[in-house]
Amino acid sequence: MLGDIGHSPRMCYHARSFSEKGWQVELCGYVEEQVPDFIAEDPNIIVHALPTLTLQGNKRSIIFLVKKVLFQVSAIIAQLWELRGSNYMLIQNPPSIPILPIAVFYRLSGCKLIIDWHNLAYSIMQLKFNGNFYHPVVLASYVIEYIFGKFATYNLTVTEAMKEYLVNSFGLNPKRCVVLYDRPATQFKPLTESESRTKLLDSEFIRDMIPEGFNVENGDKIIVTSTSFTPDEDISILIGALKIYDNSYENLDKSLPKILCFVTGKGPMKERYVKDVEEHDWQHVYVKFVWLKSEDYPRLLQLCDYGVSLHKSSSGLDLPMKILDMYGSGIPVIAYNYPVLGELVKYNENGLKFLDRRELHESLIFAMKDPELYKKLKQGALKESQTRWNSSWQSAMQELKLIA
């Protein structure tokens, strides 16, 4: 994967699942943060850290991007040469450049290629270039996916809609293309009846971030969103909705519970949103930007009443992994709505949906004040939490006849 191993859960789950079937797994990717314990401690998994090219200064130039691609190409080829003789190569897409063409040529060594389509690379690039499909970078990405995607031995997709698109638009063989929905890993689980939420709130990893006077026992609510601070997740919608909620308390309804909102993650637009939050005079809402260890994020989700997803999907064909983590932890979600989201979020059953900050604000009002609604959505989330990765993965691999 051309991403940080510690923050590529789906690929890590693949590695562990193959390992549990007795396969020897060579997991290649960047190691920017700590590799998850279940990967590092698995004797069947060997982690290969790809080298990185450091940006000098803050400005990305065309020359640097060309250097980066050439550096990646040489690093990937060197790694694959070391691992020649492998039976299968599983890659995540996106990105498609430069890994997809290299992977296809690597098939000449006798290795079979599996592409796991998380999304469409060209749609992400199109978003970066203001929706211009005819930008040279967008066109190049589309052509690479369209041509080289056909050479995969097997294909996995995250939704039925994506499978249908790839079959109809890219000409993939439907018999070699299988849907494998994202599912939460075992570390994402609801609090049990014997576990104390209050005690967990007093844990070292979170204790200092609880504002003075904030008390869940008195009905105050905790919400969370996870983001990479990129254009396909507009955090300003959430911040704007929370500002309206804050004003609603001051001017309309003093019975509204306080909200503590955790925003986890990092990315290129983070400082802009941090500044916006710091400059606002909050009265009844607290917004905390946090970057957590991989083992602390599941613990944070257990503490929350609701999760918020702002993922818009550049292609309109993928589903947010963050929602699966939230369901795995037994918390209902309030999610930005787009057509394929219905494959995961059932309105008024396991979550709520919105299209703008006003609708998100209304959803927050209902979610915070209506205990019967919370009870209903909580039950839906707990039901969803029972479906796990291993069963879905095994079913998909059996369909492709990769395992018995």
Side-chain angles (χ1 to χ4, degrees):
M1 72 200 76
L2 293 189
D4 176 36
I5 291 176
H7 291 88
S8 301
R10 184 174 168 101
M11 296 299 283
C12 288
Y13 302 162
H14 273 302
R16 180 174 59 182
S17 295
F18 278 115
S19 170
E20 289 174 348
K21 290 295 180 180
W23 295 42
Q24 177 63 45
V25 180
E26 313 287 343
L27 185 58
C28 308
Y30 299 121
V31 181
E32 298 171 2
E33 302 288 339
Q34 183 179 351
V35 174
D37 291 341
F38 69 87
I39 294 294
E41 296 171 1
D42 193 316
N44 288 338
I45 301 176
I46 298 176
V47 174
H48 301 270
L50 293 174
T52 58
L53 183 65
T54 304
L55 174 65
Q56 302 297 327
N58 296 321
K59 189 175 181 180
R60 290 176 175 267
S61 65
I62 296 296
I63 295 176
F64 172 77
L65 292 177
V66 171
K67 285 183 178 179
K68 180 179 179 180
V69 171
L70 293 176
F71 183 83
Q72 284 180 325
V73 168
S74 61
I76 293 168
I77 291 176
Q79 186 63 75
L80 290 179
W81 177 255
E82 179 185 333
L83 299 176
R84 63 192 183 279
S86 299
N87 300 104
Y88 293 89
M89 180 180 183
L90 170 63
I91 66 169
Q92 67 175 18
N93 186 83
S96 58
I97 301 173
I99 184 63
L100 191 50
I102 297 174
V104 169
F105 282 110
Y106 190 63
R107 285 200 60 189
L108 296 175
S109 69
C111 180
K112 295 179 180 179
L113 174 62
I114 307 169
I115 300 178
D116 192 357
W117 298 81
H118 295 208
N119 202 343
L120 298 173
Y122 86 85
S123 69
I124 294 177
M125 299 307 298
Q126 188 175 0
L127 190 66
K128 291 182 178 180
F129 292 101
N130 301 315
N132 181 13
F133 176 77
Y134 296 100
H135 188 283
V137 175
V138 179
L139 278 175
S141 185
Y142 175 82
V143 169
I144 285 173
E145 284 184 297
Y146 181 85
I147 293 176
F148 290 97
K150 301 178 192 297
F151 289 91
T153 316
Y154 306 104
N155 294 277
L156 301 168
T157 69
V158 293
T159 63
E160 287 284 355
M162 181 173 288
K163 175 183 176 179
E164 183 178 344
Y165 175 86
L166 292 172
V167 169
N168 295 334
S169 300
F170 280 24
L172 301 190
N173 184 344
K175 295 181 179 180
R176 291 180 173 266
C177 190
V178 170
V179 178
L180 172 56
Y181 285 111
D182 278 319
R183 295 297 177 191
T186 53
Q187 64 265 37
F188 294 98
K189 54 188 176 182
L191 280 176
T192 64
E193 293 183 2
S194 62
E195 293 174 312
S196 168
R197 186 188 188 200
T198 303
K199 185 176 180 180
L200 189 55
L201 280 167
D202 196 41
S203 299
E204 184 178 349
F205 87 100
I206 199 73
R207 183 173 55 237
D208 293 339
M209 291 185 275
I210 305 299
E212 185 177 350
F214 185 89
N215 191 341
V216 295
E217 299 296 329
N218 293 337
D220 294 340
K221 305 296 183 183
I222 305 176
I223 65 175
V224 62
T225 189
S226 175
T227 179
S228 54
F229 294 97
T230 51
D232 62 341
E233 292 182 335
D234 188 358
I235 300 298
S236 65
I237 294 177
L238 175 58
I239 295 174
L242 290 173
K243 288 178 179 178
I244 300 172
Y245 184 95
D246 208 39
N247 289 334
S248 296
Y249 171 81
E250 287 296 313
N251 302 317
L252 298 174
D253 188 353
K254 296 288 186 180
S255 68
L256 286 174
K258 295 178 181 178
I259 291 180
L260 171 58
C261 175
F262 288 105
V263 182
T264 76
K266 63 180 179 180
M269 302 171 68
K270 180 176 181 178
E271 291 306 315
R272 162 187 161 187
Y273 296 116
V274 172
K275 183 178 180 182
D276 184 18
V277 167
E278 289 176 345
E279 290 178 348
H280 186 75
D281 183 21
W282 301 96
Q283 299 297 321
H284 206 61
V285 174
Y286 310 91
V287 181
K288 303 286 186 179
F289 292 89
V290 296
W291 177 250
L292 299 172
K293 298 177 182 177
S294 57
E295 61 267 25
D296 285 338
Y297 180 57
R299 299 166 71 197
L300 174 65
L301 293 187
Q302 289 181 320
L303 291 170
C304 295
D305 297 287
Y306 285 91
V308 178
S309 171
L310 296 152
H311 182 76
K312 292 184 177 180
S313 178
S314 60
S315 65
L317 300 172
D318 69 313
L319 293 170
M321 185 64 202
K322 64 174 69 66
I323 292 182
L324 275 304
D325 295 338
M326 293 167 182
Y327 281 156
S329 304
I331 63 172
V333 301
I334 307 172
Y336 182 87
N337 192 23
Y338 56 97
V340 75
L341 191 69
E343 291 190 34
L344 178 60
V345 180
K346 311 300 181 186
Y347 182 77
N348 242 16
E349 291 183 21
N350 55 23
L352 302 173
K353 302 177 183 180
F354 65 90
L355 286 172
D356 55 36
R357 65 178 184 174
R358 288 285 175 184
E359 288 189 10
L360 176 54
H361 165 250
E362 291 173 2
S363 295
L364 288 172
I365 295 289
F366 292 136
M368 299 301 109
K369 286 202 67 175
D370 189 342
E372 291 302 315
L373 175 63
Y374 174 72
K375 182 179 179 181
K376 180 180 180 181
L377 298 180
K378 180 74 173 179
Q379 288 175 343
L382 288 171
K383 181 180 178 181
E384 191 69 32
S385 74
Q386 296 172 8
T387 306
R388 291 290 165 169
W389 167 265
N390 281 344
S391 59
S392 297
W393 181 88
Q394 184 156 318
S395 176
M397 294 302 154
Q398 287 174 338
E399 188 173 345
L400 292 175
K401 296 181 173 56
L402 288 175
I403 61 174

